[in-house]
Amino acid sequence: MSHHLRWHGHVVVGDVALRLYKHKGPWRYDERDVRRAARDLSAVTVDHDDLVEVVLPGQRWREEGRGEDEDTWNRANWRGQIAGWMYHEALSKELARDRPYTERSDWARIGENGLPGELTWEEFVSARADSRLSSTIASTYPLELLTWSEGCWWLPRAYADLLDRWEALEDKLLERARCARGAEHGGRAGAAGGRRPRPGT
């Protein structure tokens, strides 16, 4: 499920936004949106011979984002999300060894397998499988298609294009929600100030 749900009230499946509604019970989707999302997602043809290189960003600490607002820091970024999973599992492996700080490995350094620290692909996939619901992007599982070859990460082009569309749609929804919040706060500020004086008074 989209971690941006609490900001814009949608779950994005592929590149289709599902609006959540609540009326006398649990949250619900519009069935028409669900059918459209399923139809569009099933129409994506993945050609494993047509690949595109995926350049993942380096580790970025939360402190480096000081001065940025919450929306900017949390904006959709599928490449950063995958990289974040990698660094998280590499650090978890290092901390599990319970070694003195001075004896810890350079867990953030990218190894020959494209993963940080001493993390192996098998360990990475296994760890993320244990948190499968938090290992989705656009309600899909990118690790099932991500491959490492010739010193680079690769994804099928059609799937990478889908993730780019997901990213753009998430940004659009966040921007729309931000504008709505600004309008709401502006309206409240106007109301708090009392009635406006009539012209000529």
Side-chain angles (χ1 to χ4, degrees), residues 2 6 17 27 40 48 54 57 85 156:
S2 169
R6 70 185 179 92
W27 290 97
D40 290 2
H48 293 274
V54 177
W85 297 342

Side-chain angles (χ1 to χ4, degrees), residues 36-87:
R36 178 190 165 204
R39 182 180 64 251
D40 290 2
L41 195 57
S42 64
V44 177
T45 301
V46 174
D47 183 353
H48 293 274
D49 294 323
D50 183 16
L51 304 177
V52 62
E53 181 182 353
V54 177
V55 179
L56 300 179
Q59 170 64 11
R60 186 173 183 228
W61 298 104
R62 184 65 179 91
E63 289 75 10
E64 297 176 16
R66 288 178 178 174
E68 297 179 354
D69 60 35
E70 195 69 14
D71 287 344
T72 299
W73 176 262
N74 289 292
R75 67 179 301 175
N77 182 344
W78 64 265
R79 295 170 181 83
Q81 204 164 326
I82 293 174
W85 297 342
M86 293 177 175
Y87 286 109

